[in-house]
Amino acid sequence: MTTAQSAHTTHMLELKSRYLMPCVYHFYANPMVLERGEGCTVFDSAGKAYLDCYSGVGVSSCGHSNPAIVEAACEQLKTLTHTTTIYLTEPMLRLAEALAAFTPSHLTKSFFCTSGSEANEGALLLAKLATGRNDFIALGRSLHGRTAQTMAATGMAFWRADPEPPDNVHFAPGPVCSDCPLGREFPACQLECADAVEDILAAHPGEVAALIAEPVQGNGGIVVPPPGYFEKVQRMLRAHGVLLIMDEAQTGFCRTGKRFGHEHWDIAPDIMTVCKALANGLPIAAFIATDEVAARYTKPGASTFGGNLVCASAALATLQFMAQEELEHKAQTAAGVLRAELEALAAIYPIIADVRGLGLMLGMALIDEDGEPASATMDKLLEVLKDDGILVGKTGPGRNVVTLMPPLVISDAEIRQLTRSLGAAFEKVCAAHVAPA
Ligand code: PMP
């Protein structure tokens, strides 16, 4: 049974259609208005509780309203809120120091800004300055932001609103084994998708500054590249003097069971970008580089809100919480339990084509009997889950990948609640085909 829409929600929808740009879309045919959060739960304006298994797209990793982080932000808010980067402030400097310690050891120098788009835009600029080149390579199915250059580097057509983005980005096929753009199969393919990067480099000698990629593609539908892919790509890049930028917007800060997603492979990015979970919900982002690469950015660069005292204080408390609680291990353990449950569901419901992801960044692609993305069923499933008090995400070019990125502090009982509800929801939206014994 769907929940009736309240007068309050109707009024909020009216405000939205009157005063927000139409591009700002929301999940659900019958949406709720979220008001409050605690731990892994958010509450709507009618007081209904939802287990939040998307964390506002992988942001609230330490749980909503995490007391230590809230306290750090509130104390700073009461003391001094804003100065901008033209003055020295301790929280920003301490955060830069803490980030250098938290990230792989060769990444040491940070530039703070406020969003993932801005961090990626800055990283691309830094790559230009460091190499004296103007072009970039990005991957099919990627998403890197909403600014001109980051949208140009975004492979997902869904997120490319600009009809004429800058034309200095060359796309290599995404390393998507579940739906290989080259029609090949791993490992027989011998990573042909990586060879395509070499082809681009050979066709544009001395022109490419950097390749930008997500360690695990989030919006692309939770795409984990095959083993050896990034190692092979980085070898090629190095041979051509091209930098590697890892966009850790979704994969950063313990989400995948390691502190950063790229640490699953034997690679060393020259620049890494972070945002989302850095301050557990306050807007702060950064691009972080090696000393050598950072040294080339000497012309003035300022960001009004970059390294803002309140956000930096919250980020420091977030990093402390993550280290104290060893969230990367918690994510790994919880993921083991959740993944086994999802695989059990996939064995019952043939609409679930696969279960994929790393750590607590998991996806299940829903495919119709005719082999097409089951996006209509996906929307029904999302609505049924929401009515049952569970929030999940949807990603992928076919908008058909159930996406789970709960707070990393999710308990076993909450995982059971999620999987029970998922089971009931699949039962409701599909004709259940029980696999033969
Ligand atoms: N990179 C990735 C991988 C993302 O998922 C996103 C946002 N979903 C961005 C960049 C852009 O971040 P923002 O919305 O903070 O600009």
Side-chain angles (χ1 to χ4, degrees):
M1 206 181 66
T2 50
T3 317
Q5 194 171 89
S6 71
H8 180 59
T9 304
T10 307
H11 184 47
M12 292 300 111
L13 283 171
E14 274 166 19
L15 292 184
K16 180 173 184 283
S17 79
R18 208 170 306 155
Y19 298 114
L20 286 190
M21 303 243 172
C23 64
V24 182
Y25 84 108
H26 57 258
F27 275 2
Y28 308 121
N30 180 17
M32 66 295 194
V33 178
L34 293 180
E35 234 173 46
R36 192 166 66 80
E38 196 181 325
C40 299
T41 307
V42 288
F43 300 86
D44 72 11
S45 48
K48 177 172 168 158
Y50 303 84
L51 180 62
D52 182 4
C53 298
Y54 203 27
S55 309
V57 194
V59 169
S60 314
S61 290
C62 303
H64 292 279
S65 306
N66 179 296
I69 301 167
V70 168
E71 194 189 330
C74 288
E75 278 310 305
Q76 187 57 54
L77 193 58
K78 285 188 268 179
T79 311
L80 181 63
T81 304
H82 173 76
T83 62
T84 200
T85 43
I86 55 176
Y87 302 102
L88 291 182
T89 53
E90 189 163 342
M92 177 175 74
L93 297 168
R94 292 253 178 253
L95 177 60
E97 179 187 43
L99 265 180
F102 198 83
T103 56
S105 59
H106 67 290
L107 296 167
T108 44
K109 289 219 161 66
S110 291
F111 181 100
F112 291 109
C113 46
T114 48
S115 71
S117 302
E118 212 188 332
N120 285 331
E121 186 80 26
L124 294 167
L125 168 66
L126 175 59
K128 278 191 181 184
L129 298 175
T131 60
R133 302 171 181 179
N134 191 49
D135 284 14
F136 300 106
I137 300 176
L139 306 183
R141 289 231 204 175
S142 59
L143 185 149
H144 297 296
R146 223 179 37 261
T147 57
Q149 189 67 72
T150 60
M151 193 178 281
T154 288
M156 292 270 292
F158 188 83
W159 294 111
R160 281 169 70 92
D162 188 345
E164 271 190 73
D167 62 359
N168 60 343
V169 180
H170 312 280
F171 281 95
V176 192
C177 295
S178 61
D179 184 17
C180 178
L182 303 173
R184 308 279 279 121
E185 244 178 63
F186 181 81
C189 64
Q190 297 188 344
L191 297 169
E192 251 178 53
C193 53
D195 295 336
V197 172
E198 179 71 47
D199 295 343
I200 295 171
L201 293 169
H204 301 274
E207 292 172 21
V208 179
L211 177 143
I212 183 166
E214 300 152 79
V216 176
Q217 292 182 325
N219 287 278
I222 313 300
V223 175
V224 184
Y229 172 79
F230 274 125
E231 287 89 342
K232 189 169 180 183
V233 165
Q234 185 156 49
R235 276 196 300 278
M236 294 168 178
L237 297 180
R238 288 222 163 120
H240 290 264
V242 175
L243 304 182
L244 175 63
I245 303 172
M246 281 273 122
D247 174 351
E248 295 265 9
Q250 298 204 12
T251 48
F253 303 110
C254 311
R255 170 62 52 195
T256 67
K258 299 222 183 244
R259 285 188 168 183
F260 293 94
H262 76 263
E263 294 177 277
H264 287 278
W265 300 288
D266 188 15
I267 54 172
D270 304 285
I271 310 174
M272 175 171 88
T273 61
V274 294
C275 51
K276 296 192 188 284
L278 170 54
N280 204 46
L282 275 86
I284 185 164
F287 53 99
I288 313 171
T290 61
D291 279 346
E292 191 193 346
V293 170
R296 305 301 295 272
Y297 194 179
T298 52
K299 280 201 167 181
S303 164
T304 302
F305 293 124
N308 167 275
L309 289 110
V310 177
C311 298
S313 299
L316 270 169
T318 302
L319 293 185
Q320 239 167 39
F321 183 86
M322 287 180 169
Q324 263 162 20
E325 298 292 319
E326 299 188 345
L327 279 198
E328 67 269 41
H329 302 308
K330 280 217 167 112
Q332 246 172 32
T333 312
V337 179
L338 179 53
R339 204 176 174 123
E341 295 282 341
L342 299 182
E343 271 157 11
L345 285 176
I348 300 173
Y349 299 101
I351 193 168
I352 306 174
D354 66 357
V355 176
R356 58 205 196 204
L358 283 177
L360 281 178
M361 183 172 182
L362 294 169
M364 292 188 287
L366 306 189
I367 303 287
D368 273 340
E369 277 160 15
D370 55 7
E372 293 300 312
S375 37
T377 310
M378 172 81 212
D379 284 343
K380 273 190 225 147
L381 187 87
L382 232 68
E383 201 86 25
V384 169
L385 284 168
K386 178 260 300 170
D387 289 340
D388 196 33
I390 302 280
L391 307 186
V392 303
K394 80 171 157 176
T395 58
R399 310 300 287 156
N400 66 324
V401 181
V402 181
T403 302
L404 301 173
M405 293 203 283
L408 306 180
V409 291
I410 192 167
S411 68
D412 286 352
E414 286 166 329
I415 290 176
R416 277 196 299 278
Q417 183 192 344
L418 162 64
T419 53
R420 256 199 323 269
S421 183
L422 274 170
F426 275 113
E427 192 65 36
K428 199 163 182 176
V429 300
C430 318
H433 305 284
V434 180

